Amino acid sequence: EPEVTQTPSHQVTQMGQEVILRCVPISNHLYFYWYRQILGQKVEFLVSFYNNEISEKSEIFDDQFSVERPDGSNFTLKIRSTKLEDSAMYFCASRTANEQFFGPGTRLTVL
Amino acid sequence: GIQVEQSPPDLILQEGANSTLRCNFSDSVNNLQWFHQNPWGQLINLFYIPSGTKQNGRLSATTVATERYSLLYISSSQTTDSGVYFCAVVDDGANNLFFGTGTRLTVIP
């Protein structure tokens, strides 16, 4: 069964460093998403992407964040200058019709 | 934005017991999904159920969209059912999921 994959599974970085989180959505899906979950809290929407552009973004998705689909399969989230409060699990999701499918997540720890 | 409330926040069950988890939402929705977050943090799709009733093995779900709630039933619970159950909705005019705060289920042998 096709699934969303994410790399790396864990990322540790120093405050102020740039990180890139990678996702490979399900191949025939057209809508892509990033969500995050701070430890012990609910999952929060960051950004959605369709037809090679951002379609919606939340207040969390400020100028430090960017997304890109550099080729036909990868979908990336970049955080330019990480802060302590960016420590969280980051999930990528994709959908074709209505149901969203989530990847296993990348646990980001900012020291 | 839309509000999604789940109850109870925590639930402890003996193995073999049944349970009902509830999700209330504050506005009309065109998508509702239930997820199980396992101890490794993965979000596992349980149901896509904007309305009606579905069953999958020991789990079933019902959404009454006109009354703005959904229920997840777990029968004959097993220790592997432990984790956090999230309800998430897409409201009219949006395409992203809004998650509830979850129900943490612990099944003890």
Side-chain angles (χ1 to χ4, degrees):
Chain A
E1 186 174 324
E3 57 185 20
V4 178
T5 60
Q6 291 185 241
T7 54
S9 56
H10 293 89
Q11 174 96 47
V12 180
T13 190
Q14 295 290 325
M15 192 169 55
Q17 294 296 303
E18 174 183 286
V19 295
I20 298 176
L21 311 183
R22 292 182 166 80
C23 168
V24 178
I26 296 173
S27 63
N28 63 336
H29 286 190
L30 302 176
Y31 296 84
F32 315 118
Y33 303 82
W34 284 101
Y35 293 82
R36 81 171 185 190
Q37 184 182 30
I38 294 171
L39 188 64
Q41 298 186 20
K42 66 180 179 181
V43 179
E44 301 173 289
F45 167 71
L46 292 178
V47 65
S48 60
F49 194 85
Y50 171 71
N51 202 25
N52 283 319
E53 60 183 24
I54 291 174
S55 54
E56 286 181 67
K57 59 182 180 179
S58 71
E59 293 175 353
I60 303 168
F61 194 86
D62 61 22
D63 292 344
Q64 292 300 310
F65 292 89
S66 62
V67 289
E68 194 177 38
R69 188 157 164 80
D71 54 43
S73 58
N74 290 284
F75 179 51
T76 63
L77 174 69
K78 182 194 291 187
I79 309 175
R80 266 180 264 285
S81 178
T82 50
K83 303 188 280 277
L84 295 176
E85 54 265 37
D86 293 327
S87 294
M89 180 79 99
Y90 288 81
F91 292 102
C92 174
S94 69
R95 71 173 175 97
T96 180
N98 295 304
E99 186 174 3
Q100 292 188 28
F101 293 87
F102 282 70
T106 293
R107 185 169 298 284
L108 177 65
T109 302
V110 182
L111 303 176
Chain B
I2 192 166
Q3 304 299 310
V4 183
E5 296 180 356
Q6 292 186 242
S7 60
D10 293 280
L11 186 58
I12 300 175
L13 294 177
Q14 201 77 43
E15 200 169 23
N18 303 328
S19 62
T20 301
L21 282 56
R22 187 176 179 102
C23 171
N24 293 331
F25 41 95
S26 61
D27 211 339
S28 303
V29 299
N30 56 34
N31 177 4
L32 189 146
Q33 293 183 237
W34 282 97
F35 296 90
H36 174 216
Q37 187 166 41
N38 65 22
W40 297 270
Q42 294 176 317
L43 287 167
I44 309 299
N45 286 45
L46 296 178
F47 294 102
Y48 165 70
I49 186 164
S51 64
T53 297
K54 289 185 178 179
Q55 178 150 11
N56 184 4
R58 296 182 295 105
L59 272 58
S60 63
T62 295
T63 297
V64 184
T66 52
E67 297 186 23
R68 299 181 183 168
Y69 73 89
S70 183
L71 302 174
L72 177 69
Y73 306 95
I74 305 174
S75 64
S76 304
S77 56
Q78 300 175 358
T79 55
T80 51
D81 295 332
S82 296
V84 183
Y85 289 80
F86 288 104
C87 165
V89 303
V90 176
D91 66 3
D92 291 342
N95 74 79
N96 56 282
L97 286 168
F98 290 90
F99 279 74
T101 50
T103 292
R104 180 174 298 279
L105 175 65
T106 304
V107 181
I108 53 179

